[in-house]
Amino acid sequence: MVVSAAWQFHVGGFRKIYADIRAASPACAVYLHKIGIAHWSRAHFPGERFNLMTCNAAEQLNKALRGGRNSPILELLKFIQDMMTRWFNARRIKSQKQRGACTPEVDKVLTANLAACKGSKINMVSSWSVQVVGRFGEKHQVQLKEKRCTCRMFDKLKIPCGHAKIAADSLGLPYSSMVGDTLKPTEWVLTYDDCVTPPEEGVDYDLPPELGQKNVMPPNTHRPSRRPKETRIPSTGEVPVSHSTFQGKTLLFTAHVQTNLYDFRRPELKIPSQTSVPDA
């Protein structure tokens, strides 16, 4: 319910689900209220969030740095610099190969939005305003000049919703003209326009005299006993899945397939069932 409330575009829809959360768990409602509704609710967020509902990229970054996390600090910095060089170059090549009017991810959203509103009818209000009536009688007002729709999906994501696409078809407008400027291929290319150079090897620099006189000592810390952990600590409510669970499911699936195999050349011969799964 929290996820559903966070993704709501309308304040009214958010209030309805938030009331259900308060009825199901008052403690959870108090916790969410202390965080701040605008920090996790799309309907109350005052800025431009587009389709990003989280700003926590630490977990992905920790996974990417797993190979160099145990290295000394200078080697870790070189590892990060080399990784960013590869990332920027790969994304730069991919963005420059895009020839369409929209990026691939935006094209997927446009296709899904149009399929969701298939069968709707339109009523012209003015030269730039259209009323879209859905299959079940729901009505939405589209303002093409202001790039707005009463469903608020167009307003929040900066991508034409299904109602806006149907309205654009009625006026002969291309979909790419209604997509936000930050989501167009030109901005995608400019994002990776700068280069991240790889770390230099074997280069000596002349240090200032005052820098060589400073005594820089490591921080006064105490290393805990036992070996340091290499895996992250699971978040509250997160259930870690061990490798044996996936291996067990694979073995069970293999046993199920093996006990239901037939010889297609001789259908009367069926492979006998196996009571145990052989070792992989």
Side-chain angles (χ1 to χ4, degrees):
M1 288 189 291
V2 173
V3 174
S4 180
W7 282 78
Q8 290 295 314
F9 290 96
H10 283 278
V11 177
F14 170 82
R15 291 175 179 173
K16 182 179 179 181
I17 301 177
Y18 193 69
D20 297 337
I21 296 175
R22 189 183 295 108
S25 177
C28 180
V30 173
Y31 171 76
L32 295 174
H33 183 74
K34 289 182 178 179
I35 294 176
I37 303 298
H39 289 289
W40 60 274
S41 171
R42 171 185 279 165
H44 291 85
F45 187 71
E48 303 293 347
R49 202 166 201 154
F50 301 97
N51 64 333
L52 301 177
M53 293 300 294
T54 178
C55 59
N56 184 16
E59 301 300 339
Q60 289 81 1
L61 186 60
N62 286 336
K63 184 177 180 180
L65 299 180
R66 187 175 182 179
R69 190 183 304 168
N70 296 328
S71 303
I73 183 63
L74 291 180
E75 295 298 327
L76 178 60
L77 292 176
K78 292 181 180 179
F79 179 86
I80 296 174
Q81 188 175 357
D82 186 67
M83 181 183 67
M84 297 302 295
T85 301
R86 298 193 309 269
W87 284 8
F88 265 66
N89 182 64
R91 286 157 175 77
R92 185 183 302 107
I93 295 175
K94 185 177 180 180
S95 62
Q96 291 176 351
K97 289 182 179 179
Q98 178 66 19
R99 294 294 179 265
C102 300
T103 60
E105 295 299 326
V106 173
D107 283 333
K108 294 178 183 179
V109 177
L110 290 174
T111 304
N113 291 345
L114 185 60
C117 297
K118 187 177 181 180
S120 301
K121 299 180 180 180
I122 61 172
N123 296 324
M124 295 299 301
V125 179
S126 65
S127 57
W128 290 95
S129 180
V130 180
Q131 184 189 53
V132 180
V133 182
R135 291 174 294 177
F136 301 102
E138 66 277 8
K139 299 179 181 180
H140 294 280
Q141 191 83 8
V142 181
Q143 302 289 341
L144 293 175
K145 195 171 184 179
E146 291 80 8
K147 297 182 180 180
R148 299 179 59 184
C149 180
T150 53
C151 72
R152 299 197 68 187
M153 181 184 295
F154 196 6
D155 309 18
K156 292 290 186 179
L157 302 185
K158 308 304 177 184
I159 301 176
C161 57
H163 315 113
K165 294 189 68 176
I166 294 175
D169 286 336
S170 63
L171 298 177
L173 297 176
Y175 303 147
S176 58
S177 63
M178 298 186 296
V179 177
D181 294 336
T182 55
L183 300 176
K184 291 183 178 180
T186 53
E187 294 295 328
W188 188 22
V189 174
L190 291 176
T191 303
Y192 303 102
D193 187 44
D194 294 335
C195 297
V196 180
T197 58
E200 299 180 0
E201 299 291 343
V203 179
D204 295 331
Y205 296 96
D206 294 332
L207 298 178
E210 61 273 10
L211 186 61
Q213 297 175 1
K214 291 185 178 181
N215 187 13
V216 181
M217 300 296 294
N220 187 14
T221 58
H222 175 69
R223 183 172 180 175
S225 59
R226 301 179 181 179
R227 297 183 60 182
K229 292 188 177 185
E230 297 182 357
T231 56
R232 65 179 181 85
I233 301 176
S235 303
T236 304
E238 183 180 0
V239 179
V241 180
S242 61
H243 179 70
S244 59
T245 304
F246 290 102
Q247 187 178 8
K249 291 182 179 179
T250 305
L251 293 178
L252 290 175
F253 175 77
T254 305
H256 175 73
V257 173
Q258 289 179 347
T259 56
N260 291 276
L261 289 177
Y262 288 88
D263 189 346
F264 293 98
R265 293 171 297 180
R266 301 182 62 185
E268 68 277 4
L269 296 180
K270 180 180 179 181
I271 297 178
S273 301
Q274 300 180 4
T275 57
S276 60
V277 180
D279 295 335

